[in-house]
Amino acid sequence: MTHEELKALLPLAALNRLDSEEMAALREHLASCHECPAELREFENAVAMMALAVDAPTSADRIAQKLEARLAAVAPVIAKAATDRPASRVAEPSRRDSSRRIATRLSIAAAIVFAIYGAAVTSRLSNLQSAYDARANQLAYLQNRFTTLEHDAQMAEQKIDALSKVLSERVRLEDVLDAPDLEVTRLGPLPAAPGARAVVIASKSSNSAVLRATGLETPPSGKTYELWWITKQKGPVPAGTFTAESGNEVIAKVDPPPVGDRVMLTAVTLEPAGGVPKPTGAMYLKGAPERE
Amino acid sequence: MAKATENITSDRELVAAMANGDADALRALSARYAHMLGALAYRFVKDESDAEEIAADALWQAWREAASFDPARSSVSAWLVMLGRSRAIDRFRAARARRPPENPQPEPAPVADALSELETAERAKIVKQAVGELETRERELLELAYFSDLSQTEIADKVGLPLGTVKTRMRTALIKLRDALRRLR
């Protein structure tokens, strides 16, 4: 990498956002460049200063108190010297030397005790840290697993909703099939839907009708399929709209034939969404009622 | 207000003194950076007490590791922030429960000296102004880079930008921030 390319890495290096390869290349460069180390330090200072842009309720005094507590715990003489300094100024020279020797011995003793204790504490802290890390990893894994299971549950609910809808449509079909006076009309395909088939079953006694269709493609956006009873007296009478999904059968409740009129033909056309009072679009299916 | 360059020299001298066991040097460094470290930690843990503990931990670690600080590799402020940020991220991840006080509190320490407080307040004002000059998206990316433990890819997903664009805009944002700080000091 050229000097300019490496120099361009300095801001991200200050943010600790370089990958390991970039960092290694930059470190090597910094060892021999006179310009980049100072610039990196300036970026690091700018990054460090960002903490000052944060308003927080923390207290520098309380932080200082915590430090004093630690200093007092590990080196009592150091802490005591900070507060006793004015008194030591007026002590006799010989007494001051003696105090200093005692203080030095005590501080050495404290340092030895601290070193031994510190090593044991460090080891224990290291073990605790490892245990914490393991628990944190375990928790992260469980949280991920929970999220996955939650997602799976949502997908399952959606499937249940879809199946419930299909089931209710089938129940509707069976209700009509149970009626004693069924009129069946089979619809065959037209050039617009060569693979489509449909059957409409109607019952005057239950005043209900159901359509079952297969082979219809998903209608274009803004369009819907509409069923028509084409009668002798009134001509085309709308019987309801329905949609389809390519590859799936459709079961839809439709309006029964008008009372007091004779149905000559039954048809399905493609119409604007919401349906229309008279057919305007291409015919996809047609058929005549099966007369006894 | 003392300029950053004077502080850098003074900060190094303080760390050198800390390496020799001078606790007053630690107190002086704390007076300069405790507020900043506490605010940084608070952004992660959102708890005042935990944030102050983290800041104290960072300064205590600096006290213990003063002898190994290399001024050629980093400024003191960047080193302290690195210590503080690392601890804040660890705490944030572990979500450790608040520790009850174990010992009776010692006598209150003297309040951080007025000059340090004034310097900190002045620097905070300048930094806020510099950050305010960034565009919203630039500020957002810098804050995500600095105040979160998200990877670059996760940041790119979060903001809905390609990874390369995120890196370029982060770089641009920090250059602008550095230039603004230079101009405003």
Side-chain angles (χ1 to χ4, degrees), chain A residues 58-247:
Chain A
T58 50
S59 159
D61 287 344
R62 286 199 292 266
I63 294 167
Q65 285 174 19
K66 289 178 188 291
L67 280 179
E68 287 301 332
R70 295 178 198 209
L71 284 168
V74 299
V77 175
I78 296 173
K80 201 169 185 313
T83 51
D84 285 352
R85 197 168 292 130
S88 69
R89 283 200 202 116
V90 301
E92 293 290 330
S94 62
R95 224 180 277 171
R96 193 165 56 204
D97 284 344
S98 171
S99 298
R100 197 175 288 156
R101 278 198 294 276
I102 293 171
T104 303
R105 284 180 195 150
L106 281 173
S107 69
I108 290 170
I112 292 170
V113 168
F114 177 63
I116 295 169
Y117 178 65
V121 165
T122 301
S123 171
R124 177 94 178 111
L125 281 174
S126 174
N127 290 340
L128 283 171
Q129 184 64 50
S130 298
Y132 265 123
D133 289 345
R135 286 268 184 248
N137 286 339
Q138 199 176 23
L139 181 61
Y141 168 74
L142 288 170
Q143 281 170 340
N144 278 342
R145 187 89 185 102
F146 177 73
T147 303
T148 304
L149 288 170
E150 211 174 26
H151 174 73
D152 288 348
Q154 281 170 2
M155 296 301 293
E157 264 184 46
Q158 285 171 11
K159 276 188 189 165
I160 288 170
D161 285 344
L163 285 170
S164 295
K165 195 175 164 200
V166 169
L167 184 62
S168 67
E169 285 165 356
R170 286 202 172 269
V171 167
R172 196 177 295 138
L173 176 63
E174 285 173 13
D175 283 345
V176 175
L177 289 174
D178 279 343
D181 59 338
L182 293 178
E183 271 191 12
V184 177
T185 306
R186 294 185 197 279
L187 284 68
L190 289 168
R197 297 282 186 280
V199 61
V200 184
I201 301 170
S203 160
K204 282 186 180 134
S205 63
S206 63
N207 195 33
S208 60
V210 171
L211 171 140
R212 179 178 174 270
T214 55
L216 281 173
E217 299 292 326
T218 308
S221 174
K223 295 284 191 182
T224 188
Y225 294 111
E226 190 161 5
L227 181 72
W228 303 96
W229 302 114
I230 300 170
T231 65
K232 190 170 181 183
Q233 291 170 17
K234 294 176 187 161
V237 173
T241 60
F242 62 93
T243 191
E245 268 186 34
S246 303

Side-chain angles (χ1 to χ4, degrees), chain A residues 17 55 62 68 70, chain B residues 27 48 57 128 150 182:
Chain A
R17 291 283 171 178
D55 289 321
R62 286 199 292 266
E68 287 301 332
R70 295 178 198 209
Chain B
R27 293 183 184 98
E48 201 175 303
D57 285 347
K128 282 179 184 173
L150 299 174
R182 270 181 188 170

Side-chain angles (χ1 to χ4, degrees), chain A residues 244-257:
Chain A
E245 268 186 34
S246 303
N248 290 340
E249 74 169 11
V250 177
I251 298 177
K253 185 171 179 302
V254 293
D255 295 334

Side-chain angles (χ1 to χ4, degrees), chain B residues 1-176:
Chain B
M1 180 190 113
K3 287 191 180 164
T5 47
E6 292 173 16
N7 263 352
I8 288 172
T9 307
S10 302
D11 286 349
R12 288 186 195 168
E13 286 176 347
L14 286 178
V15 172
M18 279 161 55
N20 287 327
D22 184 347
D24 284 341
L26 172 62
R27 293 183 184 98
L29 200 70
S30 169
R32 286 181 194 174
Y33 290 107
H35 170 77
M36 185 178 82
L37 290 169
L40 166 64
Y42 187 79
R43 274 298 292 257
F44 283 93
V45 299
K46 302 287 192 288
D47 181 274
E48 201 175 303
S49 177
D50 282 353
E52 288 165 0
E53 195 66 35
I54 289 165
D57 285 347
L59 286 162
W60 191 243
Q61 187 178 355
W63 164 251
R64 288 188 285 115
E65 296 177 4
S68 60
F69 170 70
D70 182 0
R73 292 194 67 172
S74 165
S75 65
V76 172
S77 60
W79 177 55
L80 289 172
V81 160
M82 184 270 296
L83 294 178
R85 188 168 175 274
S86 174
R87 286 180 173 274
I89 287 175
D90 286 346
R91 183 78 73 107
F92 169 72
R93 285 177 182 162
R96 193 164 69 192
R98 192 186 283 218
R99 281 191 304 214
E102 289 169 358
N103 298 312
Q105 295 300 308
E107 289 291 317
V111 168
D113 64 272
L115 182 59
S116 291
E117 275 195 17
L118 185 61
E119 283 178 354
T120 302
E122 283 299 311
R123 276 190 291 166
K125 193 171 146 189
I126 285 171
V127 172
K128 282 179 184 173
Q129 196 174 336
V131 170
E133 288 181 10
L134 298 176
E135 291 172 16
T136 307
R137 181 55 64 114
E138 288 172 340
R139 193 162 55 244
E140 182 191 10
L141 285 175
L142 276 189
E143 285 178 356
L144 281 170
Y146 190 59
F147 292 118
S148 82
D149 65 339
L150 299 174
S151 67
Q152 292 289 72
T153 306
E154 286 165 340
I155 290 175
D157 283 345
K158 187 178 172 71
V159 301
L161 290 173
L163 180 58
T165 306
V166 164
K167 287 183 178 181
T168 303
R169 289 206 188 171
M170 266 187 198
R171 184 177 164 272
T172 307
L174 190 53
I175 291 173
K176 279 173 85 169

